[in-house]
């Protein structure tokens, strides 16, 4: 099979036993299933205690997001897209993942971040609640297709990357009004999958600008947003500056 889509799966399993790695049940079958459909890698590592397994998935496609959005608008199934000689096939990955998830139900196996690298744009989808990404992936992609023309700048530039979702930070001392949220020491609480359809973060490479898109109002906001890494960098910078301040 010609591979028009590649998949990388990196996962962390929480364990309280140093030196031990209780790997996922059925992981070898999962690797074989992915390898039969994609150029793929699957790597696991241990992390602290907790009894959970967290997956970070990266998909690389030979198609552009601009082509994908048009095909979705035309009614093509989101998990089996073909454009000329190229394809964007997610169905085998989705089936293999669901099978792996069923075999590891006691581990709370979950995808916490899905990156799809198209030829013209990086799409990053962040988890909002348990098992939310794949359960709502079709609606996310269709909504993106319906709004894609509104994401272009006035000069026609398409976004270099799209982060779904971003949140408005209610903290009065926030470094930035909008940001991506995490799941460790997080002060913002997600309301679940509905957050996928509120605010998106957009990065434009050539214009060197960042914007926030209001999905419900279908309008571009002249607002910056922080990735999670940038948010914690700013918070740590403030903390270091504060402890260096001389005592009054």
């Amino acid at each position: 099979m010609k591979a028009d889509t590649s998949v990388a799966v990196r996962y962390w399993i929480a364990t309280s036993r140093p030196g031990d790695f209780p790997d996922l049940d059925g992981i070898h079958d999962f690797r074989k299933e992915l390898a039969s459909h994609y150029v793929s890698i699957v790597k696991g590592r241990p992390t602290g205690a907790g009894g959970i397994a967290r997956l970070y998935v990266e998909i690389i496609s030979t198609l552009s997001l601009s082509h994908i959005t048009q095909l979705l608008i035309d009614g093509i199934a989101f998990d089996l897209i073909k454009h000329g000689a190229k394809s964007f096939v997610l169905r085998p990955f989705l089936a293999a993942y669901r099978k792996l998830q069923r075999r590891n139900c006691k581990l709370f196996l979950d995808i916490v971040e899905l990156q799809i690298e198209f030829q013209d744009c990086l799409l990053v989808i962040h988890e909002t609640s348990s098992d939310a990404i794949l359960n709502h992936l079709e609606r996310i992609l269709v909504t993106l297709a319906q709004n894609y023309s509104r994401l272009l700048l006035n000069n026609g530039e398409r976004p270099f990357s799209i982060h779904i979702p971003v949140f408005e930070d209610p903290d009065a001392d926030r470094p930035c009004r909008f940001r991506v949220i995490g799941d460790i020491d997080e002060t913002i609480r997600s309301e679940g999958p509905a957050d996928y359809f509120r605010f998106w973060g957009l990065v434009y490479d050539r214009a060197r600008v960042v914007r926030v898109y209001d999905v419900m109002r279908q309008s571009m906001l002249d607002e910056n947003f922080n990735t999670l890494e940038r948010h914690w960098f700013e918070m740590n910078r403030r903390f270091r500056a504060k402890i260096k301040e001389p005592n009054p």
Side-chain angles (χ1 to χ4, degrees):
M1 175 179 178
K2 183 177 181 295
D4 292 321
T5 308
S6 63
V7 178
V9 178
R10 297 174 176 84
Y11 62 97
W12 279 256
I13 297 179
T15 175
S16 58
R17 297 172 290 180
D20 186 25
F21 183 60
D23 211 342
L24 297 172
D25 183 24
I27 192 64
H28 298 299
D29 292 337
F30 180 69
R31 284 193 177 95
K32 288 171 61 177
E33 287 187 53
L34 292 191
S36 66
H37 295 280
Y38 312 99
V39 174
S40 61
I41 59 171
V42 179
K43 294 182 178 180
R45 298 180 65 185
T47 186
I52 61 174
R54 303 162 52 77
L55 277 68
Y56 294 79
V57 178
E58 180 182 3
I59 296 172
I60 299 178
S61 173
T62 56
L63 284 170
S64 66
L65 179 58
S66 54
H67 284 145
I68 292 284
T69 56
Q70 186 56 56
L71 294 170
L72 289 169
I73 290 173
D74 291 342
I76 304 298
F78 87 102
D79 56 349
L80 192 59
I81 289 176
K82 294 185 180 295
H83 182 72
K86 298 180 180 181
S87 61
F88 177 61
V89 179
L90 292 182
R91 193 168 296 173
F93 167 74
L94 298 175
Y97 170 72
R98 289 303 188 195
K99 187 182 300 183
L100 183 69
Q101 193 179 42
R102 288 192 297 270
R103 294 181 66 170
N104 295 272
C105 56
K106 294 182 180 179
L107 275 179
F108 304 104
L109 185 66
D110 208 356
I111 295 175
V112 296
E113 183 179 282
L114 172 63
Q115 293 192 21
I116 307 178
E117 182 83 59
F118 295 104
Q119 294 301 304
D120 57 349
C121 182
L122 170 64
L123 175 63
V124 186
I125 304 174
H126 306 274
E127 182 185 52
T128 59
S129 58
S130 180
D131 212 21
I133 292 179
L134 292 194
N135 283 341
H136 297 85
L137 182 57
E138 180 175 14
R139 186 183 168 197
I140 292 169
L141 292 177
V142 170
T143 303
L144 176 58
Q146 294 168 340
N147 287 270
Y148 186 70
S149 63
R150 297 182 178 88
L151 306 185
L152 275 59
L153 296 180
N154 290 335
N155 63 5
E157 182 179 350
R158 298 182 173 94
F160 172 79
S161 63
I162 303 172
H163 291 257
I164 300 177
V166 296
F167 293 78
E168 187 167 8
D169 192 341
D171 191 341
D173 197 32
R174 62 194 182 193
C176 186
R177 179 183 172 188
F178 291 93
R179 67 176 176 89
V180 172
I181 66 168
D183 61 344
I184 299 174
D185 297 330
E186 183 53 69
T187 58
I188 299 176
R189 291 291 172 261
S190 170
E191 295 182 13
D195 287 321
Y196 287 130
F197 310 101
R198 292 191 173 120
F199 298 106
W200 300 342
L202 312 172
V203 177
Y204 298 88
D205 202 29
R206 296 179 185 174
R208 297 184 181 181
V209 297
V210 177
R211 294 288 184 268
V212 171
Y213 183 70
D214 185 330
V215 183
M216 299 179 72
R217 292 180 173 83
Q218 296 185 322
S219 62
M220 193 81 76
L221 305 181
D222 188 11
E223 294 280 355
N224 200 345
F225 81 94
N226 276 343
T227 62
L228 190 60
E229 293 77 12
R230 182 66 185 177
H231 170 72
W232 286 116
F233 174 84
E234 290 291 338
M235 295 297 287
N236 289 331
R237 182 186 62 80
R238 290 183 177 190
F239 176 75
R240 290 193 299 269
K242 186 174 182 179
I243 63 176
K244 288 181 179 179
E245 292 178 356
N247 293 327

